[in-house]
Amino acid sequence: MTIRRLSVYARCLLHLEEDGVRTVSSQELADRFNLNSAQVRKDLAYFGEFGVRGVGYYVDDLRRHITAILGLDTQHRLAVVGAGNLGMALANYDGFAGRHFRMVAMFDDDPAKVGREVDHAPIIASRDMAREIRARSIQIAIVAVPTESAQTVTDQLVAAGIKAILNFAPARLKVPREVRFKNVDLSIELETLSFYLAKGSK
């Protein structure tokens, strides 16, 4: 949760920079972005001393520190596996256009899709996935394939050396301990919203 909040802080600080704000206190940061000032101080203190007594935090300096902590001071190369509706939507996500992540390839089994490009990234046959992952120095993979294919694809990614996987397939997948794996389950997110709707109607 601390890492998730650091991502939020980084975005907040970027907005402050764009607004020309040079310094900010934890309370001002909390008030402006609906955060908890005590939590902000606790999260930042976990990684070092960034504040200046009587001044607060220098916005640009703190953003650079958080960017480095999150490993975003270098660009990560990623691939999307599955060029169906969800995969194509993810491939066209504007967030990949920034400096932190770059989609360099898509993989799919459909011969009709192989050879096409999505935002300058080629769609490559899945059978060539291991070779292309190594050749293109891909570090992160996004799984957007049907449930029945998800474990096989994940195993192939791990065998190819991928150490970070974001999974959109509605399946419980197994990976080795050294691989960082995150599930994005849209059904669970919708059920959470349903709970709050039901709670609000009572």
Side-chain angles (χ1 to χ4, degrees):
M1 291 305 295
T2 300
I3 300 303
R4 285 179 177 269
R5 287 192 294 269
L6 284 184
S7 292
V8 174
Y9 302 156
R11 292 186 185 185
C12 293
L13 291 163
L14 180 60
H15 289 311
L16 290 173
E17 259 190 320
E18 290 171 346
D19 289 346
V21 178
R22 298 188 62 188
T23 62
V24 64
S25 69
S26 58
Q27 188 62 58
E28 289 168 335
L29 191 62
D31 290 345
R32 184 156 178 169
F33 297 101
N34 298 314
L35 302 171
N36 180 299
S37 61
Q39 189 68 65
V40 171
R41 290 191 297 273
K42 182 178 178 182
D43 288 340
L44 295 178
Y46 184 81
F47 295 97
E49 294 294 332
F50 304 116
V52 177
R53 188 177 299 276
V55 175
Y57 302 101
Y58 288 103
V59 172
D60 177 63
D61 192 44
L62 181 59
R63 187 185 62 78
R64 284 190 288 103
H65 278 300
I66 292 177
T67 296
I69 291 167
L70 292 173
L72 298 177
D73 46 353
T74 58
Q75 188 180 72
H76 297 289
R77 298 165 69 84
L78 61 88
V80 175
V81 184
N85 291 334
L86 177 57
M88 295 298 280
L90 292 169
N92 284 296
Y93 170 56
D94 287 342
F96 296 151
R99 64 184 178 208
H100 305 315
F101 302 97
R102 181 184 170 204
M103 188 188 72
V104 297
M106 293 189 74
F107 297 102
D108 201 272
D109 283 331
D110 188 347
K113 296 176 181 176
V114 171
R116 291 167 49 191
E117 285 196 354
V118 180
D119 195 21
H120 306 295
I123 300 178
I124 301 167
S126 295
R127 65 177 178 271
D128 298 325
M129 190 159 59
R131 182 189 70 206
E132 293 294 330
I133 283 173
R134 296 186 182 101
R136 297 171 186 271
S137 301
I138 295 168
Q139 302 162 297
I140 301 173
I142 299 176
V143 175
V145 299
T147 303
E148 60 271 17
S149 307
Q151 186 64 62
T152 299
V153 163
T154 300
D155 292 342
Q156 292 171 339
L157 291 169
V158 171
I162 291 293
K163 298 296 185 185
I165 298 172
L166 184 63
N167 174 48
F168 279 85
R172 296 189 64 175
L173 306 178
K174 296 179 180 179
V175 298
R177 185 172 296 178
E178 67 271 16
V179 175
R180 302 304 300 176
F181 183 86
K182 296 287 290 183
N183 268 315
V184 180
D185 192 320
L186 299 179
S187 295
I188 289 177
E189 301 302 331
L190 287 171
E191 287 164 8
T192 302
L193 292 175
S194 175
F195 165 77
Y196 285 111
L197 285 174
K199 184 178 178 182
S201 65
K202 292 178 181 178

